[in-house]
Amino acid sequence: MTSVISTPEIPLPPTQDELPCDDGIPMETQRHKLQMDLLLDTLQFWLDQREDGYIGGNMFIYFSTEQARNQDFRGPDFFAVLGVPKTERKSWVVWEEGKAPNVVIELLSESTKQEDKTRKKQVYQNQMRVPEYFWYDPFNPEDWAGFALEKSEYQPLEKDEKQRYISEQLGLALVQWQGSYKGVETVWLRWETLEGELLPTERELREQAETKAQQAETKAEKLANKLKELGINPDEV
């Protein structure tokens, strides 16, 4: 009689539907929330021009099954990933997606800056292998730094002649911008093209469209008045 030896099944790693997607911990302040929104809001316009990519903020990133069990790591304030489908996610699960983010930004606060500059930086460098990492303090614009992964270690980035950090991964620049966003006037961190053009917010896009429409209407009125002065009926032109 032949005996049958059963092979134990190897459990599959959990999916995003099986992993927690909310830690119940809110953002530190209104300004932190607005700064995250501004980074996402402006980059969405850029992402809409692409066929691939994903951006997220204050969202879990799972990079190992051990970390998933321990739940000892919370997601970054902002991250961007290229070369992936445009679809909704509950969390970013590296073993499902096949890659970690290309860029991560952490927004510093009194309660998080030490961890953002040490433990989290080490996680992004050693375990997730994120090519570019930036941090910024919305209440202290001087506390701003960028790093690029070179030979398995983060090397500090130097600002360019315009005092910007260049993201080689995205082909964009991070710039400090003094202005008002959703009623708060301060120095914000924003994206701009390498040529120096700010990526617009949704509101700025609407305002630009309204300005162009008003300019076109004014031009049409001037032309109609000119034709009338020449004795020409504009409706017949």
Side-chain angles (χ1 to χ4, degrees):
M1 180 182 238
T2 303
S3 60
V4 179
I5 300 176
S6 61
T7 303
E9 292 186 5
I10 299 175
L12 296 175
T15 68
Q16 63 174 298
D17 290 326
E18 299 166 328
L19 292 164
C21 59
D22 182 6
D23 60 10
I25 300 176
M27 295 292 291
E28 293 283 334
T29 66
Q30 176 188 4
R31 190 177 299 185
H32 282 80
K33 174 64 166 60
L34 290 177
Q35 176 61 87
M36 183 185 74
D37 289 346
L38 180 58
L39 289 168
L40 292 167
D41 187 6
T42 52
L43 201 61
Q44 186 62 52
F45 170 75
W46 174 84
L47 188 65
D48 289 342
Q49 318 306 312
R50 297 177 56 93
E51 295 182 354
D52 67 289
Y54 183 81
I55 56 176
N58 198 27
M59 176 179 176
F60 273 121
I61 295 181
Y62 289 98
F63 55 89
S64 75
T65 53
E66 179 180 354
Q67 171 249 346
R69 288 193 295 272
N70 295 337
Q71 297 183 32
D72 61 351
F73 183 80
R74 298 184 180 91
D77 295 310
F78 169 91
F79 68 93
V81 198
L82 302 181
V84 294
K86 287 182 169 182
T87 184
E88 182 185 12
R89 275 92 170 175
K90 295 179 179 178
S91 303
W92 190 266
V93 183
V94 172
W95 57 83
E96 282 191 318
E97 305 287 351
K99 66 178 299 184
N102 294 76
V103 177
V104 162
I105 301 175
E106 290 286 5
L107 303 176
L108 307 180
S109 69
E110 286 301 318
S111 63
T112 67
K113 65 181 180 181
Q114 186 61 31
E115 181 170 343
D116 291 335
K117 294 181 177 182
T118 55
R119 189 177 80 90
K120 278 194 174 183
K121 182 169 176 270
Q122 291 299 309
V123 169
Y124 296 137
Q125 173 187 277
N126 299 330
Q127 295 170 267
M128 294 175 59
R129 316 297 297 159
V130 176
E132 292 177 347
Y133 174 52
F134 301 89
W135 71 55
Y136 182 69
D137 187 339
F139 286 95
N140 180 17
E142 293 184 3
D143 200 349
W144 180 32
F147 305 85
L149 199 61
E150 295 180 14
K151 297 181 180 179
S152 301
E153 290 188 0
Y154 276 140
Q155 301 299 325
L157 291 173
E158 297 291 334
K159 295 175 185 155
D160 70 359
E161 66 280 0
K162 297 179 181 178
Q163 295 302 300
R164 310 177 302 174
Y165 281 120
I166 304 301
S167 169
E168 297 288 348
Q169 291 290 309
L170 302 184
L172 296 170
L174 276 169
V175 62
Q176 291 183 343
W177 172 76
Q178 175 75 48
S180 178
Y181 179 67
K182 295 187 178 179
V184 177
E185 176 79 24
T186 190
V187 178
W188 300 103
L189 195 64
R190 287 190 63 162
W191 297 102
E192 72 175 20
T193 66
L194 299 183
E195 294 74 30
E197 183 178 349
L198 286 172
L199 298 192
T201 64
E202 184 177 350
R203 178 176 178 176
E204 289 168 345
L205 281 172
R206 289 197 307 268
E207 291 174 346
Q208 289 173 12
E210 291 172 358
T211 298
K212 287 181 180 179
Q214 290 172 357
Q215 290 173 344
E217 184 178 349
T218 300
K219 185 177 180 179
E221 289 176 356
K222 287 181 178 179
L223 177 59
N225 292 333
K226 186 66 175 178
L227 291 173
K228 288 178 181 179
E229 290 174 3
L230 296 173
I232 303 172
N233 186 349
D235 296 333
E236 296 177 355
V237 176

